[in-house]
C-alpha cells in the first residue's frame, strides 16, 4: 500500500515538474526576429488623419493591439509586400489576444498621399483591419520617432521621388504603449520585408515575455 502511494506521489511530482519546466521554457524562449522592450514605452499624444478624414490620436490606440508600419502609397516594393503579409496574418494574430488587433499604415508622404489616395490604397489590404493615416511632418516625425522608426525625404524635385523608411513593424499594447518591434530578416540581395511565418511564430513568444514582465 505504502509503495503504491509512493509511486503515485512520484508520478504527480514528475508531472508537476514537467508542467513547470514547460512553462519556464515557453516564458524564456526568445523570439527570433522581434525585440521586446524591458519596459513598455508610453507614447506622447499625436494628431493624424485617417483615410476617412477622421482624427487619429493616442486614444485610438486604447483597447486594441496595434501593429504600426510606416511607408507611403507610391512605394514600389517594401510597403505593398509588408502590408499584404500583415493583412494576411492579421486574423491569426488576432486569435492570440483578447482585444482586437489592427494594422496601422502611417504614410510619411503627405504631399502625395491624400485622404482619397490612402483610402484607395488600403482597400487592397482588407480595409476593415488596415487603417491608413498621415499628417504634416510636424506631427509625423515626432510620432514615427517615438515608435523607434524613421523616414527621410529625398531632396529631388522629380514627381516620382522615393522615400527612405523603416521596414520594421512596431507593436503597441491596448494601453497605448510601445512594447515590441518585429524586424525583417536582413539578407544580401533581398528586400527587407517581414517574414510572415516568423512573425506568427514570434508573436506568442512576445506575448509570453510581456506577461512575464
Amino acid at each position: 500500500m505504502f509503495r503504491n502511494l509512493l509511486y503515485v506521489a512520484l508520478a504527480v511530482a514528475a508531472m508537476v515538474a514537467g508542467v513547470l519546466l514547460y512553462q519556464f521554457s515557453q516564458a524564456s524562449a526568445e523570439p527570433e526576429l522581434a525585440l521586446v522592450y524591458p519596459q513598455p514605452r508610453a507614447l506622447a499624444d499625436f494628431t493624424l488623419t485617417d483615410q476617412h478624414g477622421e482624427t487619429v490620436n493616442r486614444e485610438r490606440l486604447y483597447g486594441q493591439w496595434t501593429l504600426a508600419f510606416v511607408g507611403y502609397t507610391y512605394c514600389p516594393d517594401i510597403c505593398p509586400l509588408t502590408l499584404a503579409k500583415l493583412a494576411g496574418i492579421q486574423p491569426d494574430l488576432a486569435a492570440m489576444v483578447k482585444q482586437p488587433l489592427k494594422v496601422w499604415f502611417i504614410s510619411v508622404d503627405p504631399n502625395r498621399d491624400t485622404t482619397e489616395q490612402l483610402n484607395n490604397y488600403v482597400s487592397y489590404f482588407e480595409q476593415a483591419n488596415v487603417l491608413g493615416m498621415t499628417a504634416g511632418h510636424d506631427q509625423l516625425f515626432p510620432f514615427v520617432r517615438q515608435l523607434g522608426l524613421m523616414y527621410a525625404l529625398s531632396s529631388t524635385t522629380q514627381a516620382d521621388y522615393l522615400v527612405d523608411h523603416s521596414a520594421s513593424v512596431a507593436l503597441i499594447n491596448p494601453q497605448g504603449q510601445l512594447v515590441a518591434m518585429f524586424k525583417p530578416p536582413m539578407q544580401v540581395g533581398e528586400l527587407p520585408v517581414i517574414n510572415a511565418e516568423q512573425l506568427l511564430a514570434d508573436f506568442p513568444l512576445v506575448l509570453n515575455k510581456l506577461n512575464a514582465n
Side-chain angles (χ1 to χ4, degrees), residues 2 9 26-27 29 38 71 82 97 102-104 106 111 120-121 131 137-138 145 147 156 173 179 197 207 210:
F2 175 77
Q26 289 295 102
T82 299
V97 291
K102 302 291 183 180
V103 176
W104 280 19
I106 305 159
N111 185 49
N120 291 335
Y121 189 76
L131 186 68
H137 294 295
D138 60 329
R145 186 171 56 183
L147 297 179
T156 182
N173 68 13
V179 292
E197 291 75 18
L207 294 178
L210 292 175

Side-chain angles (χ1 to χ4, degrees), residues 65-151:
W65 290 90
T66 305
L67 290 170
F69 174 71
V70 301
Y72 61 114
T73 66
Y74 290 86
C75 176
D77 38 41
I78 294 175
C79 295
L81 290 173
T82 299
L83 288 174
K85 288 173 181 268
L86 290 176
I89 62 176
Q90 187 276 339
D92 295 317
L93 297 174
M96 300 182 195
V97 291
K98 295 180 180 179
Q99 298 89 346
L101 185 144
K102 302 291 183 180
V103 176
W104 280 19
F105 173 59
I106 305 159
S107 169
V108 292
D109 186 17
N111 185 49
R112 291 181 294 184
D113 287 346
T114 62
T115 300
E116 182 180 3
Q117 174 70 11
L118 276 172
N119 191 49
N120 291 335
Y121 189 76
V122 299
S123 66
Y124 291 105
F125 307 102
E126 298 294 336
Q127 189 171 358
N129 295 316
V130 179
L131 186 68
M133 62 196 71
T134 191
H137 294 295
D138 60 329
Q139 288 288 327
L140 279 174
F141 186 76
F143 178 53
V144 170
R145 186 171 56 183
Q146 281 192 89
L147 297 179
L149 305 173
M150 59 75 64
Y151 70 95

